[in-house]
Amino acid sequence: QVQLGQPGADIKKPGSSVKVSCKASGGTFSTFALSWLRQAPGQGLEWLGGIIPFYNTPSYAQKVQGRLTITADELTSTAYMELSSLRSDDTAVYYCASNSGTYRGPVSYSTFDYWGQGTLVTVSS
Amino acid sequence: QSALTQPASVSGSPGQSITISCTGTSSDVGRYEFVSWYQQQPGKAPQLMIYEVSDRPSGVSSRFSGSKSGNTASLTISGLQAEDEADYYCASYSSTPTLVVFGGGTKVTVL
């Protein structure tokens, strides 16, 4: 059974950066297709990007390309997402989610069988 | 505006069957067998209900089934129960630079 642990909340000022962690337990972290998604208040889900820790080559959604950095630390089984140049419309719950099945290439990013509890990031002056 | 189109709401009476559609394009739903469906209860993280169009993870009720025809995928909930009231999202692998696209979500109401 895989568990993904995230911090509860963070408040940031416009123009600053936020870094959110996602610590995995159970499963084989290095071969997870680990993604970051967000959900703005009252809105739907949006995939931001992902990483396979073993290959350490992240993929990013076009919308956040250039502002988002995803990293993974195999020693601590922890993934991170850092979003820079924050704006008010970045206010959302940020989820990490994994596909713990056998890695089959980028298509593995399209299934999320385990989810963190979400981190509410509020961007406000 | 979401890449995949879902109805905003669907409702049904207990015991009935309902179907939620998810319409994409030949770059996502129509091209790949990597469509998944998620149930989200208020204030909770989403839960995987269907993956790869029609496969069900262990622990998910057999009342949930998925299918696809052309550019449209569908989630059917049979024998509707009060506990099925939630938001449902579809997702698909995509050949666009953004590898995964979502629908805008469908609110299911049990009358």
Side-chain angles (χ1 to χ4, degrees):
Chain A
Q1 183 77 355
V2 174
Q3 291 188 315
L4 302 174
Q6 299 181 237
D10 204 346
I11 300 175
K12 293 295 182 181
K13 298 237 184 267
S16 68
S17 298
V18 67
K19 190 170 186 177
V20 182
S21 63
C22 172
K23 183 169 177 58
S25 58
T28 307
F29 178 77
S30 62
T31 59
F32 285 173
L34 208 149
S35 289
W36 288 94
L37 306 95
R38 71 181 177 184
Q39 186 171 35
Q43 303 300 309
L45 296 164
E46 178 182 22
W47 185 80
L48 300 177
I51 191 168
I52 315 295
F54 179 82
Y55 297 107
N56 205 28
T57 304
S59 296
Y60 299 109
Q62 205 165 20
K63 185 177 179 181
V64 292
Q65 182 89 38
R67 288 205 299 139
L68 180 65
T69 302
I70 296 174
T71 56
D73 182 343
E74 289 188 74
L75 290 179
T76 60
S77 297
T78 303
Y80 301 89
M81 63 134 265
E82 184 169 18
L83 189 62
S84 62
S85 303
L86 288 170
R87 310 185 290 249
S88 59
D89 63 355
D90 290 318
T91 294
V93 175
Y94 287 76
Y95 291 103
C96 64
S98 71
N99 181 346
S100 59
T102 302
Y103 179 61
R104 294 187 286 169
V107 296
S108 292
Y109 285 127
S110 63
T111 299
F112 314 103
D113 53 358
Y114 293 100
W115 293 71
Q117 71 268 42
T119 299
L120 175 60
V121 175
T122 303
V123 182
S124 174
S125 55
Chain B
Q1 189 173 353
S2 302
L4 307 179
T5 300
Q6 296 181 233
S9 62
V10 173
S11 61
S13 300
Q16 285 187 328
S17 292
I18 61 169
T19 296
I20 303 168
S21 61
C22 169
T23 301
T25 69
S26 57
S27 296
D28 38 65
V29 175
R31 184 167 182 173
Y32 301 101
E33 300 300 301
F34 291 100
V35 177
S36 51
W37 289 89
Y38 302 86
Q39 178 193 70
Q40 187 177 33
Q41 301 285 358
K44 297 287 184 65
Q47 176 188 353
L48 178 66
M49 306 303 284
I50 296 288
Y51 67 100
E52 293 179 26
V53 175
S54 59
D55 288 343
R56 221 174 19 253
S58 61
V60 171
S61 171
S62 58
R63 297 185 299 103
F64 292 85
S65 62
S67 62
K68 191 186 84 162
S69 177
N71 294 339
T72 299
S74 299
L75 173 72
T76 298
I77 309 175
S78 58
L80 198 62
Q81 299 180 1
E83 67 203 47
D84 301 331
E85 195 161 280
D87 293 326
Y88 292 83
Y89 294 92
C90 62
S92 174
Y93 184 73
S94 173
S95 62
T96 64
T98 297
L99 298 180
V100 184
V101 291
F102 275 88
T106 298
K107 181 174 183 59
V108 168
T109 302
V110 181
L111 301 171

